Amino acid sequence: MNLGEPPPRLSRVTTHALDDRYGRVATDLRVSLTDRCNLRCSYCMPAEGLDWLPTDEVLTDDEVVRLVGIGVRLLGIREVRFTGGEPLVRRGLVDIVRRCKEIDPTVDLSLTTNALGLARTAHALKAAGLDRVNVSLDTVRPETFLEITRRDRLHDVIAGLEAARDAGLVPVKINAVLLRGHNDEQAPELLRWSLDHGYELRFIEQMPLDAQHDWSREAMVTADEIFAHLEREFVLSPASEPRGSAPAEKFLVDGGPATVGVIASVTRPFCGDCDRVRLTADGQVRNCLFAREESDLRAALRGGASDDELAVRWVTAMRGKRAGHGIDDPTFLQPDRPMSAIGG
Ligand code: SF4
């Protein structure tokens, strides 16, 4: 990539910020540990699944830990979130968490998961150093869960949520996507259930990252519609705490202290405050969810690059980060990789 700037130089094992041309600094690293998933959510992938990455293309546990270490020690990463696909299907997850925590115990480690299997692993993950979990859950009705995910596993998700709370992986956050005609009318019910169980619910506008390329602006349930659904049963008022680079706008429910979040990724983008960078399961740096280019750290790493050389490559990758996702721009192109292969 030639952006008319000389490549950044790092002296031996120097720290350097992952800044971009717009003054944003990435300190939040999303690490996808696998592109595989054990659900088949209709807004994410087709019923038959996808062509998964060949095993030899996926970073090994050692490679993941090394790259996270470079991010933390050399590049100012302060938060690491493990994603997928479904990260709980990665066999070495607990060990990866433990080794990443050992790099710097002050770095915040979290997991985005569908919670299948979390009932078995929550306590081990906590003991390994995991701080928090975000669980994807769009409904608390078994029949709607089956319809959306094509799997009859709601009971496992609920057990996983309870285990996360019992293990102290708090606050336990729930991320929900509303689909018109499927679960959008259930928004108040999901909020009531989350409040009753002590979980922090956030609704997320659906983004054009599905493998089937079925997303449409017209079909998407907007933040304004989410508010309208919730206000049938609740009074929402803006929470006073500043949002910072957090994607969710928080609202007090019935005067608080309980809150609900709305992540209006499409209709109220927050790209100007973005502090995120992504590492895919096959070792590609993506400076944005919607990046058209990737930087291949795996090839460099397997080719014998030093930590410094990998850090320089990573810093360079950030220089091409665009100002925003541009979903409303006529020239917008959906990325070739779906969400499950990018990491949420
Ligand atoms: S779309 Fe890209 S720039 Fe915008 S918030 Fe998401 S990752 Fe950041």
Side-chain angles (χ1 to χ4, degrees), residues 115 117-120 122 153-166 193 199:
L118 191 55
R120 278 195 313 276
R153 304 289 300 273
L154 177 62
H155 51 286
D156 290 317
V157 179
I158 290 174
L161 280 162
E162 286 169 1
R165 189 186 51 206
D166 294 348
W193 185 89
Y199 306 134

Side-chain angles (χ1 to χ4, degrees), residues 116-154:
L116 297 188
L118 191 55
R120 278 195 313 276
T121 49
H123 283 85
L125 285 166
K126 178 68 181 179
L130 191 73
D131 293 293
R132 295 176 293 115
V133 291
N134 285 12
V135 172
S136 305
L137 178 64
D138 305 323
T139 176
V140 285
R141 295 188 195 174
E143 66 279 10
T144 311
F145 187 91
L146 173 61
E147 179 195 335
I148 293 177
T149 68
R150 304 183 177 109
R151 299 288 186 271
D152 187 15
R153 304 289 300 273
L154 177 62

Side-chain angles (χ1 to χ4, degrees), residues 18 25-31 75-82 108 110 132 245-247 274-279 314 318 321 344:
L18 288 172
V25 181
T27 55
D28 178 344
L29 172 61
R30 310 284 165 113
V31 181
L75 299 171
I77 293 297
R78 299 303 304 154
E79 287 177 55
V80 178
R81 173 175 295 279
F82 299 106
D108 186 79
S110 58
R132 295 176 293 115
S245 58
C274 180
D275 63 354
R276 259 152 279 151
V277 61
R278 289 179 160 78
L279 182 64
W314 198 331
M318 298 308 290
K321 181 161 173 156

